[in-house]
Amino acid sequence: MEKHVVAVKTVEERTDLSTGIVYRKRIATCQNVIPHFLRQISVLKVSEVYLEEESWLNMQERIMSMKTQCLTWTQYATLKEESVFRESLENPNWTEFIQKGKVSIKGAGLLNCFLEVFAQTFLNQGVKKGISIMEKLLQEQFGSPFL
């Protein structure tokens, strides 16, 4: 449901028979969203970016954990994101969404700071989009808005 995602391929999936935890590793192919003026730098001039997503779904404890990292430009940048969806301690009918991200750019000289700010802004927008997509899926499944 994310417009920049071109394709998603599951490369590994297994269920731990003793715990019931479902593990998935997927590779997402995404459009390059770096502004065109920055793509004048040859290493940034790619049409697609690849992300690796690992997820663990524990239905018994009602927790889903995800780790995502960028596979493109690993020699220059680290972009990682960790998310957890779990039952709220306040109300078991609510879901808590916790997300952490890390951005680190190296070897770009004066552009390091600018690229880090762009990446942080993009990740923050991704959080908002992720929440919006989750709300839409819940509305489709249960038929009423969740506030």
Side-chain angles (χ1 to χ4, degrees), residues 11-129:
V11 294
E12 187 177 349
E13 184 171 355
R14 65 179 182 269
T15 302
D16 184 319
L17 298 177
S18 64
T19 64
I21 295 174
V22 178
Y23 168 80
R24 286 187 184 98
K25 183 189 287 189
R26 304 185 312 169
I27 305 296
T29 305
C30 306
Q31 296 171 339
N32 185 352
V33 295
I34 291 179
H36 288 284
F37 75 92
L38 286 173
R39 290 193 212 177
Q40 303 309 310
I41 302 167
S42 62
V43 72
L44 299 177
K45 192 183 272 188
V46 297
S47 59
E48 296 177 336
V49 177
Y50 300 96
L51 304 174
E52 176 185 79
E53 175 192 86
E54 294 180 282
S55 65
W56 296 264
L57 177 61
N58 184 332
M59 291 299 288
Q60 291 176 353
E61 296 184 19
R62 297 177 54 146
I63 297 174
M64 183 172 82
S65 303
M66 302 170 70
K67 290 185 179 183
T68 306
Q69 66 178 344
C70 184
L71 299 176
T72 307
W73 306 305
T74 56
Q75 67 273 36
Y76 304 106
T78 302
L79 285 91
K80 294 185 178 186
E81 191 176 82
E82 294 181 20
S83 304
V84 176
F85 296 86
R86 68 178 181 207
E87 183 179 296
S88 171
L89 298 175
E90 287 182 51
N91 182 336
N93 294 318
W94 295 349
T95 301
E96 288 183 359
F97 172 57
I98 303 160
Q99 189 170 49
K100 297 187 294 187
K102 179 181 178 182
V103 176
S104 176
I105 312 288
K106 56 185 180 251
L110 297 173
L111 286 176
N112 278 9
C113 183
F114 182 77
L115 291 169
E116 286 178 1
V117 168
F118 171 78
Q120 288 173 346
T121 302
F122 183 75
L123 290 174
N124 287 336
Q125 290 172 349
V127 169
K128 292 174 186 172
K129 286 180 190 175

